[in-house]
Amino acid sequence: MTVFFSIFSGVLIAVMILFNGQLGVAWGNYHATVFVHLSGLFVITLVLLFKRISLKNTLRAAPWQSYLGGFIGILGVVGNNLSFAALGVSITLALGLLGQTAAALLVDSFGLLGAKKIPFDGRRLVGAALIAAGAVAMMLF
Amino acid sequence: MVAIVFGVLAGASIVGGRMVNARLSSTIGPYCGTFYNYVTGLSLSLVLLFLSGEAFPALSLPQTFGESGMYLGGLLGVIVVVIANIITPRMSAFLMTIIIFVSQLVSGITIDALGGTPVSIGKIVGAGLVLIGVLYNQSLERRPKKGKAA
């Protein structure tokens, strides 16, 4: 069942890139980003109501910086939309995997964003290079 | 070229956003964490919209089923988060990551093909390379380098 959910999740992510990208093309990227966040906020509010989860005492429970993750998420929507418009869904996803791999390497090696510092492992560059080569192959051939 | 850079940045932002949100979620729970994630995301995207001066789009009701899809991206984003919250504690992160990535790439190529971009050899070979790279790096994370791990 968890495997099925994982597969389903991957499909949804790809379809989401398509839908958000289409909205970006139709509305312009900034209007699209606002709508994506507004509709997402609406849906998560429904989820909270449905699961009867209260927001009481949650606004000051953590350091204020912890609440700013949404700022970073904007780059995700805008970046995917710009990439989608020029390159389509599959290459956008491949580039996204490259970005995730590179970011994970940086975060671990320097202990960024409060992560536990993990000594740099040069072998991880091999994986990153393979992903980069794959993305290039998808664009060129 | 700009599109390539932004595609990579979008992926990097997933890692950054996920780390910040994970810390918040560990205190107030994943659903409340996601709620604030959208509140701050919406706030800044409104500021950016204002600064951009982007012209208000011509709105029209969707005429066909296909046209209505583009309004559902935000919904799908939340469903992805909810699914992640359900399955993450129940399966190995390694397996989950690999399955989601394979599924993403296969779906992406399929969607592009349905949209009229033919499936090329380069796309299949390239996606294969991407997956080998992901698989290799994920396996390194499972078995850290001997002697150097803290």
Side-chain angles (χ1 to χ4, degrees), chain A residues 2-3 5-16 18-20 22-23 26-41 43-45 47-48 51 53-55 58-59 61-62 65-76 78-80 82-83 86-101 103-104 107-108 112-115 119-128 130-131 133-135 137-139 141, chain B residues 2-21 23-24 27-28 30-32 34-46 48-49 52 54-59 66 69-84 86-87 90-91 95-96 99-101 103-105 107-109 111-112 120-127 129-134 136-137 140-141 143-146 148-150:
Chain A
T2 53
V3 170
F5 270 122
S6 306
I7 296 172
F8 186 54
S9 178
V11 175
L12 287 184
I13 292 170
V15 175
M16 181 181 77
L18 172 73
F19 286 172
N20 287 349
Q22 287 175 332
L23 191 66
W27 280 21
N29 269 322
Y30 295 100
H31 282 89
T33 307
V34 167
F35 184 80
V36 167
H37 283 89
L38 191 63
S39 57
L41 181 60
V43 176
I44 188 64
T45 305
V47 172
L48 289 176
K51 294 181 81 84
I53 299 172
S54 165
L55 286 167
T58 56
L59 188 54
Q65 302 95 318
S66 301
Y67 292 88
L68 303 183
F71 289 177
I72 305 177
I74 291 177
L75 184 59
V78 174
N80 276 333
L82 288 170
S83 178
L87 302 166
V89 177
S90 55
I91 294 170
T92 297
L93 286 167
L95 292 172
L97 296 185
L98 178 61
Q100 288 185 48
T101 306
V107 163
D108 286 346
L112 303 178
L113 295 170
F120 177 78
D121 181 348
R123 293 177 303 171
R124 286 172 74 181
L125 286 177
V126 176
L130 281 169
I131 298 172
M138 289 177 76
M139 284 185 272
F141 304 108
Chain B
V2 177
I4 298 175
V5 173
F6 272 100
V8 175
L9 282 178
S13 79
I14 293 176
V15 173
R18 196 164 45 203
M19 294 193 59
V20 177
N21 287 329
R23 283 172 106 200
L24 180 61
T27 318
I28 65 173
Y31 295 102
C32 293
T34 305
F35 175 83
Y36 288 114
N37 187 35
Y38 277 100
V39 171
T40 49
L42 177 61
S43 319
L44 185 60
S45 46
L46 282 168
L48 290 176
L49 172 63
S52 73
E54 190 176 80
F56 192 73
L59 299 180
M70 67 179 191
Y71 303 105
L72 300 180
L75 166 70
L76 297 187
V78 175
I79 298 178
V80 168
V81 171
V82 171
I83 292 178
I86 295 171
I87 60 178
R90 291 186 173 84
M91 71 189 295
L95 190 62
M96 186 179 85
I99 295 175
I100 291 180
F101 285 176
S103 169
Q104 271 183 42
L105 283 175
S107 308
I109 291 175
I111 290 171
D112 283 342
S120 62
I121 300 289
K123 273 225 171 123
I124 294 177
V125 173
L129 280 175
V130 169
L131 289 173
I132 293 170
V134 169
Y136 178 68
N137 272 20
L140 289 179
E141 277 175 48
R143 291 177 281 105
K145 214 171 189 173
K146 275 174 197 148
K148 270 199 171 179

